[in-house]
Amino acid sequence: MTNIEHMREQIVKTVMELDEMGLLQLAEDTEMNLKENEGIFNCIICENEFGECDEAPCIKEYCSRFLKWCAKEYVSEKKKIVYET
C-alpha cells in the first residue's frame, strides 16, 4: 500500500464515521455543496424539496430541512427523468 492509498483509506474511514451534521459541515467546508453534485445537499435541492426560504440565509430552516432530507430514500436524478417522461 502506498502512502496515498493509506491516506484515502483514512479519509474514507473518517467520512464514514461522521453524523449528518458533520457530513453537512464537511460538504460546506470543502465547498462540495456549491458544485451542485448530485446527492449533495445544497440550496437548489432544499428549494426543490421544501420550497423557498423566508430568510436569507435560511440558517434556522436549513438544518432541519437537511435532517428531513437525509431520512428520505435516495433517487437518482437520472432515474427521476426516466420516470417522468
Side-chain angles (χ1 to χ4, degrees):
M1 172 184 299
T2 64
N3 284 324
I4 190 70
E5 291 168 335
H6 179 69
M7 183 177 173
R8 282 187 181 120
E9 281 185 1
Q10 294 305 307
I11 289 172
V12 169
K13 180 181 175 216
T14 301
V15 169
M16 294 302 291
E17 293 173 355
L18 293 173
D19 66 2
E20 294 91 344
M21 297 313 294
L23 199 55
L24 179 62
Q25 189 65 53
L26 175 66
E28 290 175 352
D29 289 349
T30 58
E31 298 185 349
M32 281 188 263
N33 62 334
L34 300 179
K35 297 176 184 152
E36 298 181 25
N37 292 323
E38 182 181 345
I40 297 180
F41 194 75
N42 58 42
C43 286
I44 293 170
I45 290 174
C46 186
E47 287 180 1
N48 287 340
E49 292 281 325
F50 302 103
E52 290 188 21
C53 298
D54 295 332
E55 306 170 18
C58 59
I59 302 301
K60 289 189 296 187
E61 293 176 352
Y62 192 72
C63 291
S64 64
R65 288 177 171 191
F66 171 68
L67 292 172
K68 288 177 189 174
W69 177 82
C70 286
K72 288 184 167 187
E73 188 69 25
Y74 171 72
V75 177
S76 170
E77 287 298 315
K78 294 172 188 164
K79 287 185 180 179
K80 266 187 190 176
I81 294 169
V82 171
Y83 294 139
E84 292 174 357
T85 57

